[in-house]
Amino acid sequence: MPPRTAVFFHAHPDDEALLTAGTMAMLAAEGHRVVLVTATAGERGLADMAPGEALGETRLKELYESAAVLGCARVECLGYGDSGLSPKGGSAEERPDNAFMDADIEEAAKALAAILQEERADLLAIYDPAGGYGHPDHVQVHRVGSRAAEIAGTEIVLEATVNRDPLVRLLKLATKFYRFPPEFDVRTFESAYSPGEAITHRVNVRRYTRQKRGSMSAHVSQASGGDSDRTLAVMLKVPGPLYRLVFGTEWYVRRDLPPGARLRHPFERWPE
């Protein structure tokens, strides 16, 4: 396969580590050009330091470290404000003036499209319409990314997601043995991510889980601190063999393929 260019668009630093790091490392190892773009610096995320400019600078530094581990050729941040941790974004008064969830879609899409056109990108990876688990910045990534691909004429658009069917079954089973926090509602995952029948790409990244773990580890501010139940902290404690099993597949949806399409590589073509 001749070298091609893939752009991965995420909401915040560390999102790339969770959903697409294995695919990014695989494509880079195969000789493709991998570009990582985030909408925000993640300056309102959880960390030991107070939210704000200093945290944003720290998280961008971690983003570059993660990108280096994955073999990315370029890293960009669109410079929008992090909308915060509230599932619905909270009130407008709680958000920065340039919060990504409030951004004009056409304006943001043109900024991303400019990168796609400059890179002559063959592929753009975004999120599914649900934004994964529904964070407003992630939903906005889907909207902005979809429009940017239209403007730039990017051929392949993949929606990074998770197969929610086994995830929901596993969580329901876990409730019988583990007491989740009161605010955790397993039922919310019944509409999160994507059902198995909609997934078109199941990418085996087990050969690249070392890089994926390295990407997660780069985001120190999000993987350590006072909260031992932080998502990255828990994931990084998973033993190697189990880590490869649990995190060795990454899922995508490509909307222009027919129902039942089953592909194994981002650049694999569906038979005409």
Side-chain angles (χ1 to χ4, degrees), residues 165-240:
D165 299 340
L167 177 62
V168 170
R169 289 196 297 268
L170 180 62
L171 288 173
K172 287 182 176 179
L173 178 63
T175 59
K176 299 180 179 180
F177 306 97
Y178 178 77
R179 184 184 298 275
F180 287 101
E183 65 273 14
F184 184 87
D185 187 352
V186 173
R187 292 172 298 179
T188 61
F189 286 88
E190 294 176 356
S191 58
Y193 299 105
S194 301
E197 62 186 15
I199 292 173
T200 57
H201 291 66
R202 292 163 173 79
V203 182
N204 184 339
V205 298
R206 291 184 184 178
R207 290 180 58 189
Y208 304 95
T209 50
R210 179 180 61 81
Q211 292 93 322
K212 185 167 183 171
R213 187 187 283 270
S215 172
M216 290 183 179
S217 298
H219 295 282
V220 178
S221 69
Q222 304 303 297
S224 61
D227 186 351
S228 61
D229 292 330
R230 300 282 292 280
T231 302
L232 279 181
V234 171
M235 290 179 173
L236 287 169
K237 292 178 181 177
V238 176

Side-chain angles (χ1 to χ4, degrees), residues 147-169:
R147 178 60 183 140
E150 292 177 355
I151 295 172
T154 305
E155 177 187 4
I156 301 171
V157 178
L158 297 184
E159 299 173 3
T161 190
V162 171
N163 185 345
R164 74 173 176 228
D165 299 340
L167 177 62
V168 170
R169 289 196 297 268

